[in-house]
Structure formats: C-alpha cells, structure tokens
Amino acid sequence: MSPSFTPARTRGILRATAAALALSSVLLTTGCGSSGESGGDAKAAADVPAGFPVTIDNCGVKTTYDKPPSRVVTIHQHPAELMLALGLKDRMVGTAFPDSAVLPELEKDYRAIPELAKREPSFEKVLDAEPDFVYGGYGSAFDEKEGRSRKAFADAGIDTYLNREYCGKKKVTMKDTYDEIRTIGTVFGVPDRADKLVTDLQSRVGKATAAVGGESEVSVFVYDSGDKSAFTAGGKSLGTELIRLAGGENVFADLDDVFGDVSWEQVVERKPDVIAIYDYAGAGSVEEKKKYLLSQPALADVPAVRNKRFVVLPLTATLVGIRSAYAVEDLARGLHPESFR
C-alpha cells in the first residue's frame, strides 16, 4: 500500500491560496508614558517592557500591541517550539496539531502545556482556553470555512499571528526563519532573547556548512509523498536552501514552486544520490515510504535507491521555525558522513 499524500497536497493548495496575501513585514512604533502617571497607571506602565506599544503588519493584518500577549494558543507544532525556545512557556495556555516528536530539550515544557486537539482545534475550543493571542503555523490555522478566520478571532477580541511562510512570499529562505524569530521576540517584549536564539541557530548552521565546505555537492531528491507521481520540494522551498547549505543540490530546484508534482520518469532521469524523506503524521510512516521506493522496479537503478541512501527529516524541520537550523546539520551528516567522523 502506497503512502497517502492528501496532507501534502493540502499544504500545496494552502501555499497557492496564501500567495494572494501581502508580504509579511514588521513596523515598530514606540511610545512613552506621560509624566503625570501615578498609582495603578504608573505600576501598569512599569510592567510593560520598553518598546511598547508596537505595531506588527503580519500578512496584511496590522496589530498594535500595548503590551506583550499573556495567554497564547499555538496551532501547529513549529510555532509552539519557537515560543518555547524563546523561554515563553509561561505565556502558553494551549497547543494543537503536533506533527512529529518534539525537540528533546523542549519536550518537558511542551508536554506541560494543555493539548487542545490532535489537529486544528475548533474555534470554540480555542475560545475555551481564553487566549489573547493565537499563533498559527500553516494557513489552515485560520481556515475561514472552519470558522477560525483571523476576523472571527479579532471580533472575539483575540489577536492573531500567522507564520510568515504563508504570507504570500513564494521563495522561502533561512532569513525568513530568523525574521520570524525576531518578530515574535518583538511582540512578546523579548528582543534580546530572540537575537541570542538567532545567533545560536546561525552558529549551528555555520558549523555544519563549514564541515562540508570542501566536499562535492550530492544530488538529492525530496520525497514528501505520492505514488502515481511524486510530491516533492521545489526550488522556492526552504528545503532546497537547507540542502544547499548541507552540501547538496535539490534535483528539482528548477521546479518553480514551493512544492509540486513530478513524474517518476523525471526522478529516474535525474539520478539522485540521496533521497530525503519528509516525515509527518498522516502521510504514511518512514518505513512505508522506504518500502514503496525500494519496491518499484522503475527506480531500481536510481543511485539513491540502489544504495539505499535515505535521509529522514521531520516536516517541522523544513518549515519556518527553529528546526530548520537543526535540519542543515542532519542533512549534512546524511550527505557527507565522512566529514563528521
């Protein structure tokens, strides 16, 4: 039985729909309190970090924050991990839709936060958590047909933020990851933490890239899912940049999209040395995907299949979030193991 690929196609459709939205940007406006403040007003002002109020333009939705959000629901795993990496566990009142195993260093904190749903929670379920901020990872977090539009949340007095990957900018890069971290750091009044996290992730990427700097590029085919055709990462995906940084080349870097379908004949023609398998819930297990690839006679002479060279990446590691920096190292080790001995 071949792996299901409905979730993957849903992502592709969501990306295409999101392309109509404005690009994400950040606008900062700072204010200061009046010299006449006293009593409770003065104490409230003292509790607000420097730099507020702050205005953020996210996917065309402009929001002014007089103070950092204090009750946050994250929908999808990568926003939750980003929040935890910034030390914002105390602001989180709910998570939803885990895609894969949580980073070990974040798992304890992640498990301590109530899980609202295995997939996207209903609007009512989110409201039950009484958030003042909802942070969505995929465009489906704010699915209007499901009653979770950003307007619906705004009408309920709840601010929202959508991961910039779904703001309509077609090509996704590591800069988007770093900008996302810094924007969330700004919203929550922890810009210093955000800067430190970005520096740490850049260092992680730099070390991995340096380790394989003298090696020849390895050709890589990304297998997300599919049987009659292959759903793969195109040239505008973050995955393509991760492969490049890890000393490889995406054989479908010329596919002018983030994700898209290619024929198996094309895969055979491009002779990838390694196959990167994207792992996530609902699309078949990694073992099922490997079994499918190894069982196809037409693929028998593809070097990656013949030599059984597979690298597994959690889908969350290929998205705009903290995992992407980890993915560069994992890929580099898979593509150039001799550089890490």
Side-chain angles (χ1 to χ4, degrees):
M1 180 177 178
S2 62
S4 166
F5 51 93
T6 300
R9 293 194 184 283
T10 301
R11 288 203 312 279
I13 292 169
L14 288 170
R15 287 302 305 254
T17 302
L21 297 173
L23 295 180
S24 173
S25 62
V26 180
L27 302 172
L28 303 182
T29 58
T30 59
C32 55
S34 166
S35 59
E37 288 176 339
S38 62
D41 290 342
K43 183 180 185 305
D47 291 339
V48 177
F52 284 80
V54 60
T55 298
I56 303 295
D57 187 349
N58 166 242
C59 299
V61 176
K62 188 176 290 187
T63 304
T64 297
Y65 300 89
D66 293 322
K67 60 182 180 179
S70 60
R71 295 184 59 83
V72 182
V73 166
T74 58
I75 302 177
H76 304 116
Q77 186 174 326
H78 47 303
E81 290 187 331
L82 195 159
M83 291 277 295
L84 291 173
L86 286 173
L88 297 170
K89 173 191 170 185
D90 62 326
R91 318 280 184 93
M92 299 173 69
V93 296
T95 66
F97 208 147
D99 277 321
S100 56
V102 179
L103 279 174
E105 59 265 39
L106 301 177
E107 185 174 5
K108 182 178 179 181
D109 285 345
Y110 185 88
R111 300 302 172 201
I113 302 163
E115 183 180 281
L116 305 185
K118 292 296 182 184
R119 295 185 68 83
E120 290 92 350
S122 68
F123 182 70
E124 292 74 17
K125 186 71 173 178
V126 176
L127 292 188
D128 286 345
E130 299 182 348
D132 57 5
F133 184 90
V134 178
Y135 182 7
Y138 302 133
S140 57
F142 302 117
D143 190 338
E144 185 173 356
K145 293 180 180 178
E146 295 294 328
R148 291 190 307 271
S149 69
R150 298 185 73 175
K151 183 180 184 303
F153 282 114
D155 290 344
I158 300 169
D159 294 323
T160 57
Y161 184 94
L162 177 61
N163 185 292
R164 69 185 55 235
E165 187 168 352
Y166 287 83
C167 285
K169 180 182 177 182
K170 292 293 285 183
K171 186 174 178 62
V172 188
T173 69
M174 283 300 294
K175 182 178 184 300
D176 291 300
T177 287
Y178 304 141
D179 288 348
E180 181 85 355
I181 292 169
R182 288 192 169 106
T183 301
I184 295 300
T186 296
V187 170
F188 287 88
V190 290
D192 291 345
R193 294 185 202 174
D195 286 341
K196 182 179 184 304
L197 178 57
V198 167
T199 298
D200 290 346
L201 295 179
Q202 288 174 326
S203 175
R204 180 181 288 271
V205 171
K207 289 177 182 177
T209 300
V212 299
E215 303 292 343
S216 299
E217 287 185 341
V218 174
S219 60
V220 181
F221 162 57
V222 172
Y223 180 50
D224 181 299
S225 55
D227 47 14
K228 293 182 175 59
S229 61
F231 195 61
T232 191
K236 292 185 176 179
S237 70
L238 181 57
T240 292
E241 178 163 343
L242 301 181
I243 291 169
R244 178 184 63 78
L245 290 169
E249 180 184 15
N250 180 0
V251 296
F252 288 105
D254 59 340
L255 179 62
D256 191 30
D257 209 337
V258 177
F259 281 94
D261 288 302
V262 297
S263 69
W264 290 112
E265 289 77 13
Q266 288 175 295
V267 176
V268 172
E269 288 171 1
R270 301 195 182 195
K271 301 176 182 178
D273 294 312
V274 174
I275 296 177
I277 296 176
Y278 282 4
D279 181 24
Y280 59 100
S285 70
V286 170
E287 289 309 311
E288 287 174 326
K289 290 181 179 181
K290 286 183 180 179
K291 183 177 180 181
Y292 177 75
L293 293 168
L294 292 169
S295 69
Q296 301 306 302
L299 301 178
D301 289 330
V302 171
V305 174
R306 185 175 64 245
N307 299 318
K308 297 182 180 179
R309 287 196 67 188
F310 301 105
V311 177
V312 178
L313 289 179
L315 179 64
T316 48
T318 70
L319 305 171
V320 172
I322 63 167
R323 288 283 192 99
S324 52
Y326 290 72
V328 174
E329 181 180 352
D330 292 341
L331 273 168
R333 288 180 179 277
L335 302 185
H336 300 285
E338 66 282 354
S339 296
F340 294 89
R341 288 174 183 156

